[in-house]
Amino acid sequence: MKNGKHITLGIESSCDETAIGIVADGREVLANVISSQIDIHTAFGGVVPEIASRRHLENINGVLSQALEEAQITIDEVDLIGVTYGPGLVGALLVGVAAAKAISFAKDIPLVAVNHMHGHIAANYVEYPELEPPFMGLVVSGGHTNIVFVKDYNQCETLGETRDDAAGEAFDKVARVIGLGYPGGPKVDRAAKEGDPHAIEFKRVYLEPGSYDFSFSGLKTAALNHINSCRQAGKEINVADMAASFQEAVVEVIVNKAISAAREFGQDRIVMAGGVASNSRLREMIREEGAKYGIQIMQPRPLYCTDNGVMIACSAYYKMKKGEFAGPDLDAIPGLEF
């Protein structure tokens, strides 16, 4: 406790960021420290799980010290510890879970286990202090593309999800083939700004009528086939046009389904979350479409779209309020469902 405020420390290590956030009363950010491994994994064209786990081990103590210093508190002033226990890379998750349990045991601080995807949504509670459930959630990341009806804090009903490749995964694969490299999402976004989104007309896949699920595997294959056809015919590939056209096909489907879900369930707010939620075209298009139907679009700044400890601390705070604590037997669950 500091100045009468409840202090939550959140630990996030599900993939390749070692992150710790410290939040007061579930909404006020005191510290947000992120140690990224992008430079390391870029050489391999993607995240190498074993390397990620080792780097988490090397970084976790330093990140913790830096976060406490930034918040100007000691570990003894922390009232609650939240930690991501899934979904994610099992080795990476275990580092965060082990650190959280060790601190919890050594300092007798209550522990809360946080679903990584619920954490992404919770980032919006920091950005929008007035935000409370219910609302429609759109979570778009490297591993997930979900439309969820957020009924209460950390209580979500999944209305639609990806049946194959997530949007971020599709961006990464196409970016690799057209020579943009890793991480694909931000590089496709940048390249697309110089291209024509209608240069190549890719099919929009909506699946069966009324479905809020997503499928980007066919679109990814169509893009790869187009690239291969051009190369076999000796035609030059316009990378900017390719990026813009592919991005437009992905974003258009996501936006149309999210808006349709909000209208069907009578929700006038769509809350965005996840790494791909920072995509500039997605943010622009969903704002434009939302305005047509009087739907408010809430978008966290890019810093809170990517993996961070603040979102975990915020989610943990609201689980604590409901008495949902974890014990010393807490384990990582890499395939944890939404």
Side-chain angles (χ1 to χ4, degrees):
M1 193 74 68
K2 182 178 182 182
N3 299 326
K5 295 183 178 181
H6 189 281
I7 306 298
T8 306
L9 183 147
I11 300 175
E12 158 61 31
S13 67
S14 64
C15 192
D16 61 334
E17 277 94 12
T18 312
I20 291 180
I22 299 175
V23 176
D25 291 342
R27 302 265 177 163
E28 180 188 349
V29 178
L30 302 182
N32 183 29
V33 179
I34 302 171
S35 177
S36 176
Q37 302 178 22
I38 286 180
D39 290 346
I40 297 170
H41 298 285
T42 295
F44 301 97
V47 177
V48 181
E50 292 81 1
I51 295 176
S53 303
R54 193 177 308 123
R55 291 295 293 180
H56 284 308
L57 278 171
E58 295 169 357
N59 293 338
I60 190 77
N61 288 336
V63 171
L64 174 60
S65 297
Q66 190 176 343
L68 291 171
E69 182 178 349
E70 186 175 305
Q72 296 184 333
I73 63 171
T74 67
I75 193 66
D76 293 311
E77 292 175 282
V78 172
D79 301 295
L80 180 70
I81 296 172
V83 62
T84 300
Y85 75 115
L89 303 174
V90 63
L93 288 166
L94 284 170
V95 175
V97 169
K101 290 199 295 185
I103 300 169
S104 172
F105 177 78
K107 293 294 182 177
D108 194 25
I109 302 172
L111 177 66
V112 169
V114 174
N115 184 314
H116 178 76
M117 306 315 295
H118 293 178
H120 272 304
I121 293 172
N124 285 276
Y125 300 133
V126 169
E127 289 283 49
Y128 302 95
E130 76 283 3
L131 177 62
E132 294 180 356
F135 52 78
M136 195 60 62
L138 174 62
V139 183
V140 193
S141 68
H144 297 80
T145 309
N146 294 74
I147 295 174
V148 295
F149 183 25
V150 182
K151 298 180 177 181
D152 200 353
Y153 295 106
N154 295 300
Q155 184 183 350
C156 305
E157 177 187 353
T158 300
L159 305 179
E161 59 189 347
T162 182
R163 296 185 183 178
D164 38 59
D165 290 354
E169 185 180 4
F171 278 136
D172 282 343
K173 289 180 179 177
V174 170
R176 189 180 304 124
V177 173
I178 59 178
L180 291 176
Y182 174 85
K187 294 187 176 183
V188 167
D189 192 5
R190 283 195 294 272
K193 294 181 189 301
E194 307 299 324
D196 177 3
H198 305 293
I200 308 162
E201 287 299 328
F202 290 114
K203 182 180 179 181
R204 274 58 167 165
V205 179
Y206 285 94
L207 303 173
E208 60 272 13
S211 172
Y212 291 123
D213 282 351
F214 299 94
S215 174
F216 296 116
S217 180
L219 174 61
K220 178 198 68 179
T221 300
L224 299 183
N225 287 341
H226 176 82
I227 294 167
N228 290 333
S229 295
C230 288
R231 287 173 175 167
Q232 289 172 4
K235 296 179 181 178
E236 183 179 351
I237 298 169
N238 186 312
V239 173
D241 283 352
M242 182 71 201
S245 299
F246 181 76
Q247 176 177 267
E248 195 75 4
V250 172
V251 166
E252 192 174 299
V253 172
I254 293 173
V255 169
N256 287 340
K257 291 204 173 205
I259 296 292
S260 295
R263 295 182 68 199
E264 180 180 338
F265 284 80
Q267 297 299 307
D268 61 1
R269 294 175 300 179
I270 295 176
V271 171
M272 297 177 65
V276 183
S278 62
N279 178 276
S280 62
R281 181 56 180 147
L282 174 59
R283 293 166 81 93
E284 175 187 47
M285 187 186 292
I286 198 167
R287 282 196 303 266
E288 292 172 353
E289 291 300 309
K292 294 178 183 178
Y293 301 101
I295 298 173
Q296 181 185 11
I297 307 300
M298 309 185 88
Q299 304 167 323
R301 74 192 79 169
L303 176 65
Y304 293 137
C305 287
T306 54
D307 292 350
N308 62 86
V310 165
M311 69 185 197
I312 303 306
C314 186
S315 182
Y317 176 81
Y318 287 102
K319 290 194 76 172
M320 176 274 296
K321 299 277 276 186
K322 291 187 175 181
E324 299 178 10
F325 296 100
D329 58 343
L330 176 65
D331 201 358
I333 304 179
L336 184 66
E337 297 292 331
F338 212 114

